[in-house]
Amino acid sequence: MDLPDRARIRIDEGTRVLAVTGAGISAESGLATFRGAGGLWEGHRVEDVATPEGFAADPARVWRFYSARRAAALTAEPNAAHRALAALERRIGDRMLLVTQNVDGLHRRAGSERLIEIHGSLFRTRCARCERPPFPDEALHEAKVPACERCAAGGRRAYLRPDIVWFGELLDSGHLRRVEAFAARPPGGRLVFLAVGSSGNVWPVAGFVDLAAAAGAETWLVNLDPAENAWHFDRVVRGPAAETLPRLLGLEV
Ligand code: OAD
């Protein structure tokens, strides 16, 4: 759909917004997406770097991959699309929930707080074996795979790993419950579902549009290319997020 210059998503006093973002929203911050030409999955096999089996087989390779992504994300800056979603949250407060599949931290740095990082964070590390809580970590573990000191103190050997949800792993059930509760529409309330920069390939997030539609939401997709699940949306706007989203939301940022 070509977007007329004055087209806006109507967000009035009774509207709640459930927004879902993917790698495309960070593309204009200079971070690679996963799929497509030049994407991360072109240079790396998913099973090597984004599965527990890949980590068990070669933890050094996995840390090289995530260290490079940490380094890139640390030097990237949030763009106008991240800032527009943060500005929307400042305006509508708890009528907004933002779910990101991104692990790059750019939404938080743009100021979003009602935020679920549903695939984890590049900037947290956890033990691959014990239940110690994940902890903040910006270090680049390029040369040596870090070991868990807590396991070592108990005489066990275990590696630390990025706190990222890999393929074959479960999402946090508390996160899913929060999304479902938010989508359940109160009588008389209006719900807008907005997906930005995601190819719609990875479940369950690709199905959130259906959850929201079942709750009566008006559904919008802002994406550069046609997404896998585009036909599930009422309105599909093709374009780069940093340019398109602030305009759609009527927010100059
Ligand atoms: P993808 O790389 O699959 O899709 C990114 C989407 O963003 C594509 O459809 C592009 O057309 C679109 N895009 C690119 N540049 C854009 C721009 N400037 N503005 C708007 N859209 C743009 O990334 P995700 O959908 O986020 O999971 O991928 C989902 C998950 O698959 C990721 O979280 C990751 C990956 O495997 C894990 O690593 C667990």
Side-chain angles (χ1 to χ4, degrees), residues 117-153:
E117 293 176 316
I118 203 158
H119 287 169
S121 168
L122 267 179
F123 300 108
R124 284 194 312 264
T125 291
R126 68 178 174 89
C127 180
R129 177 171 176 167
C130 77
E131 296 297 319
R132 71 188 279 192
F135 58 91
D137 182 16
E138 292 189 354
L140 307 185
H141 303 290
E142 286 161 322
K144 188 167 179 283
V145 177
C148 174
E149 320 82 41
R150 200 168 295 186
C151 285

Tab-separated table of all heavy atoms in Angstrom, residues 117-153:
chain	number	residue	atom	x	y	z
A	117	GLU	N	11.851	-7.836	25.985
A	117	GLU	CA	12.880	-8.321	25.051
A	117	GLU	C	12.695	-9.836	24.984
A	117	GLU	O	13.314	-10.583	25.729
A	117	GLU	CB	14.271	-7.932	25.545
A	117	GLU	CG	14.494	-6.419	25.517
A	117	GLU	CD	15.837	-5.980	26.093
A	117	GLU	OE1	16.228	-6.503	27.161
A	117	GLU	OE2	16.486	-5.110	25.480
A	118	ILE	N	11.827	-10.249	24.075
A	118	ILE	CA	11.303	-11.617	24.141
A	118	ILE	C	12.329	-12.671	23.704
A	118	ILE	O	12.219	-13.835	24.082
A	118	ILE	CB	9.966	-11.708	23.350
A	118	ILE	CG1	9.139	-12.883	23.835
A	118	ILE	CG2	10.194	-11.724	21.833
A	118	ILE	CD1	7.655	-12.777	23.531
A	119	HIS	N	13.342	-12.262	22.930
A	119	HIS	CA	14.415	-13.198	22.546
A	119	HIS	C	15.682	-12.989	23.374
A	119	HIS	O	16.741	-13.494	23.011
A	119	HIS	CB	14.733	-13.079	21.048
A	119	HIS	CG	13.666	-13.677	20.168
A	119	HIS	ND1	13.627	-13.507	18.806
A	119	HIS	CD2	12.590	-14.455	20.468
A	119	HIS	CE1	12.566	-14.149	18.304
A	119	HIS	NE2	11.920	-14.712	19.296
A	120	GLY	N	15.566	-12.221	24.481
A	120	GLY	CA	16.721	-12.027	25.352
A	120	GLY	C	17.481	-10.758	25.027
A	120	GLY	O	16.962	-9.854	24.360
A	121	SER	N	18.725	-10.703	25.523
A	121	SER	CA	19.537	-9.502	25.332
A	121	SER	C	20.979	-9.881	25.056
A	121	SER	O	21.545	-10.762	25.711
A	121	SER	CB	19.475	-8.644	26.603
A	121	SER	OG	20.464	-7.632	26.522
A	122	LEU	N	21.565	-9.144	24.099
A	122	LEU	CA	22.994	-9.320	23.794
A	122	LEU	C	23.857	-8.955	24.986
A	122	LEU	O	25.003	-9.382	25.083
A	122	LEU	CB	23.386	-8.356	22.672
A	122	LEU	CG	23.353	-8.785	21.229
A	122	LEU	CD1	23.776	-7.611	20.359
A	122	LEU	CD2	24.274	-9.976	20.991
A	123	PHE	N	23.311	-8.114	25.867
A	123	PHE	CA	24.134	-7.538	26.938
A	123	PHE	C	23.894	-8.195	28.293
A	123	PHE	O	24.121	-7.598	29.332
A	123	PHE	CB	23.935	-6.018	26.980
A	123	PHE	CG	24.344	-5.412	25.670
A	123	PHE	CD1	23.399	-4.909	24.786
A	123	PHE	CD2	25.676	-5.425	25.286
A	123	PHE	CE1	23.784	-4.403	23.560
A	123	PHE	CE2	26.071	-4.924	24.062
A	123	PHE	CZ	25.125	-4.408	23.190
A	124	ARG	N	23.389	-9.421	28.250
A	124	ARG	CA	23.321	-10.250	29.463
A	124	ARG	C	23.956	-11.596	29.150
A	124	ARG	O	23.862	-12.108	28.025
A	124	ARG	CB	21.871	-10.469	29.905
A	124	ARG	CG	21.213	-9.282	30.593
A	124	ARG	CD	19.928	-9.704	31.301
A	124	ARG	NE	19.076	-10.499	30.446
A	124	ARG	CZ	18.063	-10.016	29.742
A	124	ARG	NH1	17.758	-8.734	29.796
A	124	ARG	NH2	17.347	-10.819	28.968
A	125	THR	N	24.560	-12.145	30.193
A	125	THR	CA	25.217	-13.449	30.078
A	125	THR	C	24.652	-14.338	31.176
A	125	THR	O	24.262	-13.844	32.236
A	125	THR	CB	26.744	-13.252	30.238
A	125	THR	OG1	27.215	-12.546	29.075
A	125	THR	CG2	27.506	-14.554	30.350
A	126	ARG	N	24.592	-15.636	30.904
A	126	ARG	CA	24.148	-16.555	31.962
A	126	ARG	C	24.949	-17.848	31.873
A	126	ARG	O	25.699	-18.058	30.904
A	126	ARG	CB	22.650	-16.818	31.860
A	126	ARG	CG	22.196	-17.605	30.648
A	126	ARG	CD	20.686	-17.805	30.760
A	126	ARG	NE	20.080	-18.418	29.606
A	126	ARG	CZ	19.941	-19.737	29.429
A	126	ARG	NH1	20.446	-20.596	30.301
A	126	ARG	NH2	19.323	-20.190	28.365
A	127	CYS	N	24.758	-18.693	32.885
A	127	CYS	CA	25.474	-19.967	32.873
A	127	CYS	C	24.700	-20.952	31.999
A	127	CYS	O	23.469	-20.969	31.998
A	127	CYS	CB	25.606	-20.514	34.285
A	127	CYS	SG	26.487	-22.103	34.313
A	128	ALA	N	25.426	-21.747	31.238
A	128	ALA	CA	24.778	-22.745	30.390
A	128	ALA	C	24.299	-23.929	31.231
A	128	ALA	O	23.566	-24.789	30.736
A	128	ALA	CB	25.756	-23.228	29.316
A	129	ARG	N	24.699	-23.939	32.520
A	129	ARG	CA	24.380	-25.121	33.323
A	129	ARG	C	23.575	-24.803	34.579
A	129	ARG	O	22.552	-25.422	34.823
A	129	ARG	CB	25.694	-25.802	33.706
A	129	ARG	CG	25.539	-26.996	34.586
A	129	ARG	CD	26.865	-27.710	34.704
A	129	ARG	NE	26.758	-28.824	35.625
A	129	ARG	CZ	27.656	-29.768	35.739
A	129	ARG	NH1	28.728	-29.733	34.983
A	129	ARG	NH2	27.491	-30.733	36.599
A	130	CYS	N	24.033	-23.821	35.383
A	130	CYS	CA	23.372	-23.592	36.673
A	130	CYS	C	22.295	-22.517	36.560
A	130	CYS	O	22.150	-21.864	35.537
A	130	CYS	CB	24.383	-23.255	37.771
A	130	CYS	SG	25.034	-21.567	37.718
A	131	GLU	N	21.546	-22.336	37.624
A	131	GLU	CA	20.376	-21.449	37.604
A	131	GLU	C	20.695	-20.038	38.082
A	131	GLU	O	19.788	-19.270	38.373
A	131	GLU	CB	19.266	-22.052	38.499
A	131	GLU	CG	18.724	-23.378	38.005
A	131	GLU	CD	18.048	-23.271	36.645
A	131	GLU	OE1	17.320	-22.292	36.424
A	131	GLU	OE2	18.296	-24.158	35.801
A	132	ARG	N	21.983	-19.695	38.213
A	132	ARG	CA	22.296	-18.328	38.666
A	132	ARG	C	21.617	-17.331	37.723
A	132	ARG	O	21.517	-17.582	36.520
A	132	ARG	CB	23.811	-18.098	38.706
A	132	ARG	CG	24.423	-18.018	37.339
A	132	ARG	CD	25.917	-17.975	37.341
A	132	ARG	NE	26.443	-16.651	37.609
A	132	ARG	CZ	27.719	-16.316	37.445
A	132	ARG	NH1	28.585	-17.236	37.024
A	132	ARG	NH2	28.136	-15.119	37.715
A	133	PRO	N	21.155	-16.196	38.262
A	133	PRO	CA	20.452	-15.251	37.396
A	133	PRO	C	21.391	-14.680	36.333
A	133	PRO	O	22.592	-14.509	36.583
A	133	PRO	CB	20.011	-14.140	38.360
A	133	PRO	CG	20.225	-14.662	39.735
A	133	PRO	CD	21.250	-15.755	39.659
A	134	PRO	N	20.850	-14.369	35.160
A	134	PRO	CA	21.648	-13.703	34.132
A	134	PRO	C	22.196	-12.385	34.674
A	134	PRO	O	21.576	-11.777	35.541
A	134	PRO	CB	20.624	-13.425	33.017
A	134	PRO	CG	19.509	-14.370	33.268
A	134	PRO	CD	19.461	-14.592	34.739
A	135	PHE	N	23.368	-11.966	34.188
A	135	PHE	CA	23.958	-10.723	34.693
A	135	PHE	C	24.409	-9.851	33.517
A	135	PHE	O	24.683	-10.356	32.420
A	135	PHE	CB	25.127	-11.028	35.639
A	135	PHE	CG	26.213	-11.854	35.005
A	135	PHE	CD1	27.294	-11.256	34.360
A	135	PHE	CD2	26.152	-13.241	35.046
A	135	PHE	CE1	28.277	-12.013	33.763
A	135	PHE	CE2	27.144	-14.016	34.437
A	135	PHE	CZ	28.206	-13.404	33.801
A	136	PRO	N	24.468	-8.503	33.743
A	136	PRO	CA	24.883	-7.609	32.661
A	136	PRO	C	26.309	-7.909	32.224
A	136	PRO	O	27.171	-8.193	33.072
A	136	PRO	CB	24.807	-6.213	33.299
A	136	PRO	CG	24.008	-6.370	34.538
A	136	PRO	CD	24.165	-7.786	34.995
A	137	ASP	N	26.553	-7.860	30.927
A	137	ASP	CA	27.891	-8.164	30.414
A	137	ASP	C	28.049	-7.544	29.024
A	137	ASP	O	27.302	-7.881	28.110
A	137	ASP	CB	28.056	-9.697	30.332
A	137	ASP	CG	29.443	-10.107	29.860
A	137	ASP	OD1	30.372	-9.262	29.885
A	137	ASP	OD2	29.610	-11.285	29.474
A	138	GLU	N	28.983	-6.606	28.919
A	138	GLU	CA	29.237	-5.996	27.602
A	138	GLU	C	30.561	-6.477	27.025
A	138	GLU	O	30.990	-6.014	25.975
A	138	GLU	CB	29.273	-4.459	27.736
A	138	GLU	CG	27.937	-3.864	28.083
A	138	GLU	CD	27.939	-2.342	28.008
A	138	GLU	OE1	29.012	-1.734	27.792
A	138	GLU	OE2	26.843	-1.763	28.152
A	139	ALA	N	31.221	-7.382	27.724
A	139	ALA	CA	32.574	-7.795	27.303
A	139	ALA	C	32.524	-8.561	25.990
A	139	ALA	O	31.529	-9.202	25.658
A	139	ALA	CB	33.199	-8.658	28.383
A	140	LEU	N	33.631	-8.476	25.250
A	140	LEU	CA	33.759	-9.249	24.017
A	140	LEU	C	34.580	-10.491	24.339
A	140	LEU	O	35.762	-10.396	24.661
A	140	LEU	CB	34.435	-8.411	22.929
A	140	LEU	CG	33.797	-7.042	22.655
A	140	LEU	CD1	34.477	-6.360	21.482
A	140	LEU	CD2	32.283	-7.161	22.414
A	141	HIS	N	33.928	-11.648	24.303
A	141	HIS	CA	34.611	-12.900	24.638
A	141	HIS	C	35.064	-13.548	23.337
A	141	HIS	O	34.551	-14.586	22.925
A	141	HIS	CB	33.667	-13.817	25.420
A	141	HIS	CG	33.139	-13.198	26.669
A	141	HIS	ND1	33.931	-12.946	27.778
A	141	HIS	CD2	31.905	-12.746	27.002
A	141	HIS	CE1	33.201	-12.389	28.732
A	141	HIS	NE2	31.967	-12.252	28.291
A	142	GLU	N	36.028	-12.876	22.692
A	142	GLU	CA	36.443	-13.350	21.368
A	142	GLU	C	37.557	-14.379	21.454
A	142	GLU	O	37.649	-15.279	20.632
A	142	GLU	CB	36.938	-12.156	20.529
A	142	GLU	CG	35.806	-11.290	20.054
A	142	GLU	CD	36.278	-9.905	19.647
A	142	GLU	OE1	37.174	-9.355	20.325
A	142	GLU	OE2	35.749	-9.382	18.665
A	143	ALA	N	38.393	-14.212	22.483
A	143	ALA	CA	39.584	-15.056	22.535
A	143	ALA	C	39.358	-16.293	23.395
A	143	ALA	O	39.946	-17.350	23.146
A	143	ALA	CB	40.755	-14.245	23.088
A	144	LYS	N	38.508	-16.167	24.396
A	144	LYS	CA	38.393	-17.262	25.369
A	144	LYS	C	36.933	-17.410	25.782
A	144	LYS	O	36.255	-16.409	26.042
A	144	LYS	CB	39.242	-16.891	26.592
A	144	LYS	CG	39.396	-17.980	27.605
A	144	LYS	CD	40.514	-17.604	28.602
A	144	LYS	CE	40.690	-18.667	29.663
A	144	LYS	NZ	39.684	-18.632	30.684
A	145	VAL	N	36.463	-18.626	25.853
A	145	VAL	CA	35.085	-18.864	26.289
A	145	VAL	C	35.031	-18.684	27.805
A	145	VAL	O	35.792	-19.335	28.533
A	145	VAL	CB	34.646	-20.302	25.924
A	145	VAL	CG1	33.233	-20.575	26.436
A	145	VAL	CG2	34.728	-20.507	24.418
A	146	PRO	N	34.180	-17.774	28.314
A	146	PRO	CA	34.159	-17.543	29.758
A	146	PRO	C	33.535	-18.730	30.499
A	146	PRO	O	32.597	-19.359	30.000
A	146	PRO	CB	33.285	-16.285	29.904
A	146	PRO	CG	32.439	-16.249	28.680
A	146	PRO	CD	33.211	-16.927	27.578
A	147	ALA	N	34.063	-18.995	31.682
A	147	ALA	CA	33.562	-20.124	32.485
A	147	ALA	C	32.747	-19.582	33.657
A	147	ALA	O	32.940	-18.449	34.092
A	147	ALA	CB	34.745	-20.946	32.995
A	148	CYS	N	31.842	-20.387	34.166
A	148	CYS	CA	31.009	-19.988	35.312
A	148	CYS	C	31.796	-20.209	36.602
A	148	CYS	O	32.139	-21.351	36.937
A	148	CYS	CB	29.719	-20.803	35.319
A	148	CYS	SG	28.707	-20.496	36.782
A	149	GLU	N	32.068	-19.077	37.320
A	149	GLU	CA	32.856	-19.214	38.564
A	149	GLU	C	32.042	-19.925	39.631
A	149	GLU	O	32.599	-20.602	40.488
A	149	GLU	CB	33.283	-17.859	39.147
A	149	GLU	CG	33.730	-16.800	38.171
A	149	GLU	CD	32.571	-16.071	37.550
A	149	GLU	OE1	31.609	-15.758	38.250
A	149	GLU	OE2	32.620	-15.830	36.312
A	150	ARG	N	30.735	-19.728	39.593
A	150	ARG	CA	29.904	-20.354	40.623
A	150	ARG	C	29.952	-21.885	40.485
A	150	ARG	O	30.090	-22.598	41.471
A	150	ARG	CB	28.471	-19.853	40.519
A	150	ARG	CG	27.727	-20.078	41.796
A	150	ARG	CD	26.423	-19.343	41.831
A	150	ARG	NE	26.582	-17.892	41.816
A	150	ARG	CZ	25.572	-17.045	41.950
A	150	ARG	NH1	24.347	-17.503	42.092
A	150	ARG	NH2	25.770	-15.753	41.946
A	151	CYS	N	29.872	-22.377	39.269
A	151	CYS	CA	29.984	-23.824	39.052
A	151	CYS	C	31.386	-24.298	39.440
A	151	CYS	O	31.541	-25.346	40.089
A	151	CYS	CB	29.692	-24.181	37.597
A	151	CYS	SG	27.940	-24.111	37.199
A	152	ALA	N	32.391	-23.473	39.059
A	152	ALA	CA	33.782	-23.856	39.362
A	152	ALA	C	33.973	-23.991	40.867
A	152	ALA	O	34.643	-24.920	41.342
A	152	ALA	CB	34.746	-22.824	38.784
A	153	ALA	N	33.340	-23.074	41.642
A	153	ALA	CA	33.471	-23.126	43.104
A	153	ALA	C	32.887	-24.427	43.658
A	153	ALA	O	33.318	-24.928	44.697
A	153	ALA	CB	32.781	-21.913	43.726
